[in-house]
Amino acid sequence: RYKQSLDPTVEDVKKLCDSLRRSAKDERVLFHYNGHGVPKPTANSEIWVFNKSFTQYIPLSVYDLQTWLSTPSILVLDCSNAGVLVNQNQHRDEDLIILAA
């Protein structure tokens, strides 16, 4: 089972994460972020989503994303310069896997 969210806002991403976690219960959630065509991740470990009027990009903290997804989860960050996100998000939770592509 999967859910797709095109051009989401921060609120859309949070709702999606909550819904995925509720549906998955104790199973692993796979979250794939395709950020090609948007600005590169920030030095503060943020990816980009739209504002509510779809007129500009808004940063979304990868930490917030991890928190919303909870564990167990696999987070695939498919965007330019994604390696910086993995390096900045070192974690000790075995149930959270972060991949950069």
Side-chain angles (χ1 to χ4, degrees):
R1 181 174 175 193
Y2 71 93
K3 294 183 180 183
Q4 183 176 8
S5 183
L6 302 175
D7 300 331
T9 64
V10 173
E11 294 80 11
D12 294 337
V13 174
K14 183 171 185 343
K15 287 178 189 175
L16 176 64
C17 291
D18 291 343
S19 172
L20 291 171
R21 175 49 55 207
R22 237 184 349 267
S23 296
K25 297 181 176 125
D26 294 331
E27 297 295 319
R28 190 170 306 276
V29 170
L30 170 63
F31 185 95
H32 181 259
Y33 168 78
N34 182 341
H36 295 285
V38 301
K40 291 181 180 178
T42 70
N44 294 327
S45 195
E46 297 164 317
I47 56 176
W48 296 96
V49 297
F50 278 106
N51 65 354
K52 288 181 182 180
S53 58
F54 301 101
T55 57
Q56 68 184 48
Y57 294 112
I58 302 293
L60 170 61
S61 164
V62 172
Y63 176 81
D64 287 344
L65 190 56
Q66 291 173 218
T67 302
W68 299 337
L69 287 172
S70 190
T71 58
S73 295
I74 299 173
L75 177 55
V76 178
L77 302 169
D78 185 2
C79 57
S80 298
N81 206 30
V84 70
L85 296 170
V86 173
N87 293 337
Q88 292 177 0
N89 284 284
Q90 298 298 325
H91 53 82
R92 297 184 181 170
D93 191 333
E94 297 173 359
D95 289 329
L96 175 64
I97 300 167
I98 300 177
L99 304 170

